[in-house]
Amino acid sequence: MHSKGNTEGPQSLHPKAPNQAQMLALNARFHALREWREPSASATGPLSGMTVSVKDNIGVDGMQSWAGSSRALPQKWASSGSFIRKLQQLGADINSKSHCAEFAFGGSGFNPNQGTPINPWSPPGTPLIPGGSSSGTAVAVACGLAQLGVGTDTGGSVRVPAALCGCAGYRVTPQHWPMDGVLPLSTRVDALGLIAPQVQDIARVLSAVEGTKPLSAAPLDSLSVALWPDDALADCDAERAAIFATAAGQLRQQGATLVPASGDVLARAFALLGGGPNTAAAEFAHFLQAELPGWRHGLNPQVASLVADHEQVQDDALERRI
């Protein structure tokens, strides 16, 4: 799937913090940010000077929240929660809100309401999807519009766009970081996550937020990694198969034990995934009924269809699904 637009490929990645003119030009090209403000004089702290782009379903004082929808959310969803305030107390500069899939639904990053951000690694003339639902957040980090991205991850919504845009992505376990100020998709499994250029950047932020000593990489010689089996890669093109093989080889060289996952394990996993209601869709349908009852018919067709199929799912069915 491709998003609309045109890019100049990987050379468009910006290695340093851009000035205002560069910021505007980059955003015009990649469509990552919905709102941006001038950098502020950051407070002192371990994250002093770090620019942060926040997914648009997360409240930030002084900025409006749309959550990828066709209209602004009520003001209660535009206020900073505990985690955003924590980053600011540590010196980070929250200077932008980034586009996302409507109400965080969708792994491609597609958004017909506000436009789909463009993956900065797209070859000339072939704009590629950024992954979702934290699409603009990953694009903002990948092209240098921000040094850190904060998103939400229910089923891969931070990790998928981070991977597709060539960044490091990290998701905490649900409720490890407080979710106040965040528009919910599935309160049972929603979690905050970080996107940064490299793993070392994630480690720096984690050390600051958790108040721990600087983190260092653990050895891989005690790590066991399940590999996607060869027969499941039959439809993968040669270039991506080669990249997969190279990554596996690098893990093996570092001492990791690689174990091909059996087809039976994958079959059971797919059966589990498809064996009940979509938890996020059902929870979000209930949220709309309670919090935004007038918004039901303004959703884009993809999200509207998911909501319509899950409006009658009861909580006990969701509990069994979890």
Side-chain angles (χ1 to χ4, degrees), residues 93-145:
D93 180 14
I94 314 293
N95 74 330
S96 64
K97 295 290 292 289
S98 37
H99 289 296
C100 62
E102 184 174 31
F103 289 114
F105 264 118
S108 71
F110 173 68
N111 187 316
N113 298 320
Q114 300 187 13
T116 302
I118 297 171
N119 193 319
W121 292 94
S122 303
T126 309
L128 303 177
I129 60 169
S133 61
S134 305
S135 50
T137 312
V139 172
V141 172
C143 66
L145 288 165

Side-chain angles (χ1 to χ4, degrees), residues 113-187:
N113 298 320
Q114 300 187 13
T116 302
I118 297 171
N119 193 319
W121 292 94
S122 303
T126 309
L128 303 177
I129 60 169
S133 61
S134 305
S135 50
T137 312
V139 172
V141 172
C143 66
L145 288 165
Q147 295 166 310
L148 177 72
V150 178
T152 57
D153 190 316
T154 304
S157 286
V158 160
R159 294 161 289 168
V160 169
L164 266 61
C165 291
C167 301
Y170 178 81
R171 174 192 191 264
V172 299
T173 54
Q175 305 305 320
H176 179 75
W177 289 336
M179 298 294 291
D180 57 305
V182 180
L183 189 91
L185 178 58
S186 172
T187 56

